[in-house]
Amino acid sequence: MAFPDSVREIYQAQLKALQEGGLFKEERFIHSPQSADIEVEFPVGSSLKKVINMCANNYLGLSSHPEVIKAAHEGLETRGFGMSSVRFICGTQDIHKELEKKMTEFLGTEDTILFPSCMDANAGVFEAILTKDDVIISDRLVHASLIDGIRLCSAMHDTYKHSDMAHLEEKLKMYQDKRLRLVVTDGVFSMDGDTAKLDVMVELCEKYNAMLLVDDSHASGFIGKTGRGTHEKYGVVGKIDVITTTFGKALGGATGGCVSGRREIVEMCRQRARPYLFSNTIAPVIIVGILKVLEILSATTERRDKLEKNTEYWRKGLTEAGFILKEGDTPIVPVMLFNAKLAQEFSKALYEEGIYAIGFFFPVVPQGQARIRTQISAAHEIHHLDQALEAFVKVGKKFDILHKTKQDIIARYGM
Ligand SMILES: *Cc1c(COP(=O)(O)O)cnc(C)c1O
């Protein structure tokens, strides 16, 4: 037997420790399409409950948009279900090229290459374009998928303090002897909802001859005046060398990702990136759905405008109610609770009140920084937000954390 009890016990002990530390993640089963109103089974085996979803990446409310669903149905009829091949053998349809072209236009870059996911885009891009003679300088809070991609390549790796531009400059000066320098950041940071200072970063990269890679997964489709992303917000469209992003969030929320940027970088990925060469790309039915999403977004900014209004309303409501939020202006609105167990229990109490919002804690965020990460959507109406606010206030009172300082909360619940 290759899995004796002694081995089983090792894992059982680790899992038990997670449970006892309040760090064990439980999934809740959704029985409806993704939307503002969902039907959930939780705990497993209980009857279905109608709740308001406050934690989806469905920023633009397009995950179950009727036109997207209709387009996907048509795509299924005309292009079939699967490709049964990777891109370079016989897995490229005309619609894959069409989506690459449309994303290039949308992001304001030179070229685009699709990946099965943004996780795969990040896993593939670094190794494809860097060698051991190069250096990567990344923000300390970048997404896990960037960290993994960086690990997979042979370039040297260093970091700068989160959004600390003086520290970044110091590091850029330090590595002037390298063949290439690549600065890496998220556009919108997924856990805190703050944005990278891309205007300053572009300036620094020009001054110190470095390339800039931005993962805009939590921005593509809605940040900036026409929703192009964080580079639009900071007025640097056309100046980001590499953008990686996902189709799994605002852009329909199904699956898929891409690398978009300088022509040669995209071509290097096509020749070298392993998740592109050795894994099937996005299925045709999803490609057709994403094309419809881009068509909708190019016709009107109505959805991102509504999202912006909803976000302001939500932040103002929570702040006035006495919650501690992470500062920012994106639809990622973290309600700080600091303690992991408190975050779990707060989430369960919200659920009782008909609100679905998940607690985040170590290792997803640093120790002592547990929170409920709420995310606003254009699918929310004011009545959803009002109902959610009411529930947050009720639960906030129950745990006695309203109008308290961080020290008050930690003194009572621990880190
Ligand atoms: C969600 C996310 C990803 C992963 O996207 P997938 O397409 O689901 O793999 C990558 N980077 C960032 C910053 C993300 O937020």
Side-chain angles (χ1 to χ4, degrees), residues 230-248:
T230 317
H231 57 327
E232 184 181 30
K233 176 185 168 90
Y234 283 96
V236 288
V237 172
K239 295 190 172 176
I240 310 297
D241 306 298
V242 195
I243 296 172
T244 66
T245 193
T246 184
F247 300 109

Side-chain angles (χ1 to χ4, degrees), residues 318-345:
L318 285 177
T319 305
E320 286 173 1
F323 285 98
I324 302 174
L325 306 184
K326 282 267 180 190
E327 295 274 320
D329 57 3
T330 69
I332 297 174
V333 185
V335 180
M336 299 306 294
L337 297 170
F338 310 105
N339 175 277
K341 244 183 184 143
L342 174 62
Q344 290 263 60
E345 278 166 23

